[in-house]
Structures are given as structure tokens and as C-alpha cells.
Amino acid sequence: MIGKDGVFSAPTVNGSLTMTNANWTDSDFANITNLPFFNIDLSNNLLTEFPSKIFGEFTTVVDLSGNMITYLPYSNNLVNLTRLQSINFTNNQISIIHPKSVQTLHMVPVVSLEGNPLSCECEQLPLMTWLESVRDRLRDDDVIEMSYGSGIHAMTCVEPEMLRGRKMLDEANENFDQYCPIPVKNRTKLIIVITIPALIIVILASILLNIYLDKKRKKRESENIILGFKQLLSKESEIDAVTANSYKYDAFISYANKEEDFVYSLIKELEEKRTRKISFHQRDFIAGLSIVDNIVECIGNSSRVILIISDDFIRSSWCQYEVQVALANMHNRRRGKLLVPVLVQGNKNEDKMRGNTKTILSEISAITAPDQHAIDDVTTWKTFCDQVDHCLPTTPSNVI
């Protein structure tokens, strides 16, 4: 294309590219793809089609004014142009907007069509139906900001003669339906064809946004837990020689809610028959404090931490990942006396453990809880509780 007449500005990567008044045709761009520029000006040439292949991921503004383009691009041709904000189609030869092209008006914030021989005949019904459905929003000046003239607001009818010069936005009403009557069933199909793709886009965007926000929430929870336990570790390092009865509780029990019946039985045994003081979240977490602050407070006031390890415990972000990282650090500082892991039914094979749970179990021998049917056996239950009680401080806590 070197040697063409017209204006040709030297391009810069991710900058602007201007190729105007050069009489360039569609064939001149046949082998050009993915131009890496934000702004591309191809105005006042001889293009008859939208050259979708030449635009790349950085394309933001496209000026195709003053060409001979006869149609608005279908929305599927713009799917990969995620940064596209404005297309200038002024003074082309666009007459009818195809139903698949109407979606382009949804996808691109600014589409300028003034100066085109736009028809207001019955063939234009898809566009007129869409304009009627979104008229109030399009007339809100706070919502629509145009880069080239007034865009959709300035689109006027060229045909038929009786409507020439009238704004299409004004004609998109029930009068147009009377002028161009169609069966109700067909009109319903048109509305569905036009609106369903837009609804799908909105739904997908909502799903992706929820996934993103959920990941951010989980990441924030993880960071808060780790920060809280680092603060607790800092406090622990300042107290190297503490006695067991300086703690408010003999133990804090960490467990998943699905194991609460088993845990309540264990707490009842330890507190009522063995005079132990146990801390657990349903009873001892303070209302108004965050979960992290409550965990830090309860563990900081407990001589031991009993981990009730189950499938739900392993899957829980609070019970498994960050808490176990912090507890493993605390275990190392207290020479193996802090953690008391208990394996409940279905988790007795330590080889199946993974991640931080496996690390903890490789350093500390776990106590195996009795099977569900054996809990009612007095001897079996007593033996298990003796094992747990043996891992607690020799002297029960007496701090009130």
C-alpha cells in the first residue's frame, strides 16, 4: 500500500494510526490483522465492509466515517474487541440494521450513524423495536456520552418520504407498529432475538463478577486469619515461661459444625466429669468481634488446641488451611504441647491426609475417636476421653 495518496501518520505501538483520504479498498486490508493501536482512523476511503480482522485487543476508538460501508457489523465480529469504546460510521451507506447488528449497539458504548441513508421502512423493524424498548434510557443525558456528534440521538429517517428528516428515536413507538403491522407472534420472536443475547451477556457478567468477589472475599479471610495468628504468635514470643494454670481455658476445640454432636459430648465429659475448662466458638466467641479476633482471643487464652479432624474440617477455610499454618508455627514454639489432633470416623488413615493437616499429623501422634456405634460403649468412651484428658495440662486451669 506504499505509494497511495492521502494522509498516513507514522504509527507507534499502542498509539494512533491514521490512514485517510487514500482511496483504499477492502482488498488493500485483506492480509492485515490485529493492528496494535488504540486509535485507528480509516476515514474517507472506499471501504464497503467493516474490516474486523485488522483490529486488535488494544483497539479502543475506530473512525470509519466517509466510506461506503453498507451494514453495521454483527455482534459476533466484535466479541474479541473487548476494549472497543467507539465506532464512527457517519456518512456511509448504511440503510438497514440487521437484527444481529442491533446487539452491536449494546456492546459498544458509542456508535455514530448520522449521515447514513437510514430507512424507516418495515425492514427496519428490529432496530425500531430495540429503540422503543430502551428509549427512556437512551434519552438520559447522564447515561449516554457521544464522541462523534449525538450518535443514536441524531439518527434520522431518509426513507420513506413521509418520514424523511424525522428522528428515528421519536418514530420508534406504537405509531410505527401501526404503520408496519406484523403478527404478534412474529413480533415476539423479534423481541426475543434482540433481547435474549443481551440478557445472556448480563447474566454471564454477573456470574463472573460474583466468582471474582467470592475469590476476593476468601483471599481477604485468609489474609485476616494469617495476620491475626501472626499477632498471636508475636504475643506468645514475649512470654517464654508460662505455666499451665495461667490460661483461662484448658483447651480450645476447633471443629466443623457437622461434628458438633460429637464435640458437645466430649465437652460435657471434660467439663462435668473432669473439671476442665473448654473454649469453643458457639459459646465463647464474643458478639461484635470479628471471627479472626475471636479465634485469636480464645486460642490465646487456651493452654491447648484440640483439632477435631474430619472431611468437613479439611474443606473448611477457617478450620483447615490458614488456621493450621498458624497452629503449626505455634506448635513448634511450644515444643509439641499445644496441638491435640483427633481423627474422627472416616479419617483414620493418615496416609490420605494432605496439605497442612498431613504436616501436623507427621509431627504429632493423633488420637483416634471411637466409631459412632462405639461411642455409647462406656469403656470405649472413657478410654478415649482419658487419652484426650492426658494431653491437657496436668493441673486444670483456675483462672476465672
Side-chain angles (χ1 to χ4, degrees):
M1 293 186 291
I2 297 177
K4 288 270 188 180
D5 295 329
V7 177
F8 177 34
S9 67
T12 58
V13 175
N14 296 343
S16 298
L17 178 66
T18 300
M19 297 182 289
T20 64
N21 298 291
N23 295 324
W24 290 355
T25 64
D26 300 323
S27 60
D28 291 321
F29 294 95
N31 298 318
I32 300 176
T33 60
N34 298 318
L35 292 175
F37 307 108
F38 288 125
N39 303 323
I40 298 179
D41 185 354
L42 304 178
S43 60
N44 299 310
N45 285 290
L46 300 176
L47 298 175
T48 62
E49 299 178 347
F50 181 75
S52 58
K53 294 192 300 182
I54 74 171
F55 306 123
E57 61 176 316
F58 298 105
T59 305
T60 304
V61 176
V62 174
D63 189 350
L64 294 169
S65 61
N67 280 277
M68 302 175 65
I69 296 172
T70 57
Y71 67 93
L72 202 64
Y74 289 178
S75 57
N76 60 326
N77 291 328
L78 304 177
V79 171
N80 295 325
L81 305 181
T82 57
R83 302 188 185 186
L84 189 59
Q85 295 294 311
S86 172
I87 308 178
N88 184 4
F89 283 109
T90 58
N91 299 318
N92 275 272
Q93 299 299 314
I94 300 173
S95 176
I96 301 296
I97 308 296
H98 190 275
K100 292 183 180 179
S101 298
V102 173
Q103 296 307 312
T104 297
L105 302 176
H106 279 294
M107 298 176 65
V108 183
V110 178
V111 179
S112 297
L113 291 166
E114 52 266 50
N116 282 275
L118 295 169
S119 172
C120 288
E121 299 280 7
C122 296
E123 296 173 290
Q124 200 70 284
L125 187 60
L127 175 63
M128 301 299 275
T129 301
W130 178 76
L131 288 174
E132 182 182 358
S133 67
V134 298
R135 183 192 295 112
D136 292 339
R137 183 172 64 86
L138 291 174
R139 281 178 170 168
D140 186 349
D141 292 334
D142 293 332
V143 175
I144 303 295
E145 294 181 3
M146 297 299 171
S147 296
Y148 303 101
S150 53
I152 294 175
H153 292 267
M155 295 192 315
T156 58
C157 303
V158 174
E159 297 177 342
E161 182 68 28
M162 61 182 290
L163 297 179
R164 179 171 295 178
R166 296 188 183 181
K167 290 186 177 181
M168 299 182 75
L169 198 58
D170 293 333
E171 297 302 317
N173 53 36
E174 61 276 4
N175 293 331
F176 189 84
D177 297 341
Q178 296 173 5
Y179 172 75
C180 252
I182 61 173
V184 173
K185 185 179 292 186
N186 289 345
R187 179 174 177 80
T188 301
K189 286 182 179 179
L190 270 175
I191 293 175
I192 291 174
V193 167
I194 292 172
T195 58
I196 283 185
L199 289 175
I200 291 175
I201 292 174
V202 171
I203 291 172
L204 289 176
S206 299
I207 292 173
L208 292 175
L209 178 61
N210 286 332
I211 292 174
Y212 171 73
L213 293 177
D214 186 59
K215 287 183 177 180
K216 285 195 68 176
R217 177 184 61 79
K218 289 182 178 179
K219 181 180 179 181
R220 186 166 58 250
E221 285 181 354
S222 300
E223 291 173 347
N224 287 340
I225 292 174
I226 292 174
L227 177 61
F229 277 102
K230 282 183 178 180
Q231 293 173 349
L232 179 59
L233 287 172
S234 177
K235 293 179 181 178
E236 293 292 334
S237 65
E238 297 173 0
I239 310 173
D240 294 329
V242 292
T243 59
N245 62 5
S246 67
Y247 291 98
K248 183 177 179 179
Y249 303 107
D250 291 300
F252 171 79
I253 299 185
S254 175
Y255 63 96
N257 288 336
K258 194 173 181 180
E259 309 300 330
E260 63 182 11
D261 290 341
F262 168 78
V263 170
Y264 288 165
S265 298
L266 178 59
I267 292 172
K268 182 177 181 181
E269 171 75 23
L270 293 175
E271 289 190 334
E272 295 182 6
K273 296 183 180 181
R274 302 166 189 265
T275 66
R276 294 292 187 178
K277 293 183 180 180
I278 305 299
S279 173
F280 61 105
H281 70 270
Q282 273 92 343
R283 182 183 67 189
D284 298 306
F285 274 17
I286 300 172
L289 285 182
S290 67
I291 295 177
V292 169
D293 289 338
N294 270 303
I295 290 175
V296 171
E297 183 70 18
C298 287
I299 292 181
N301 288 323
S302 300
S303 179
R304 303 285 189 272
V305 175
I306 301 174
L307 306 178
I308 307 299
I309 300 174
S310 65
D311 289 336
D312 292 279
F313 182 95
I314 293 171
R315 287 192 291 265
S316 171
S317 61
W318 290 109
C319 297
Q320 160 59 6
Y321 185 67
E322 299 86 359
V323 172
Q324 290 182 21
V325 171
L327 291 179
N329 289 332
M330 292 172 63
H331 152 64
N332 290 333
R333 293 186 177 220
R334 294 197 183 182
R335 300 179 182 177
K337 294 183 179 181
L338 172 69
L339 301 181
V340 183
V342 175
L343 293 178
V344 300
Q345 186 178 13
N347 289 277
K348 295 180 180 180
N349 188 350
E350 296 183 15
D351 293 336
K352 294 183 179 180
M353 296 297 168
R354 60 182 182 274
N356 297 302
T357 304
K358 186 173 183 179
T359 300
I360 290 174
L361 294 176
S362 69
E363 299 181 17
I364 308 172
S365 297
I367 299 172
T368 300
D371 294 337
Q372 188 63 39
H373 68 273
I375 291 179
D376 295 331
D377 182 81
V378 176
T379 302
T380 301
W381 179 249
K382 182 178 181 302
T383 300
F384 165 69
C385 292
D386 286 342
Q387 289 179 293
V388 175
D389 188 60
H390 181 72
C391 294
L392 302 183
T394 304
T395 303
S397 297
N398 57 19
V399 176
I400 300 177

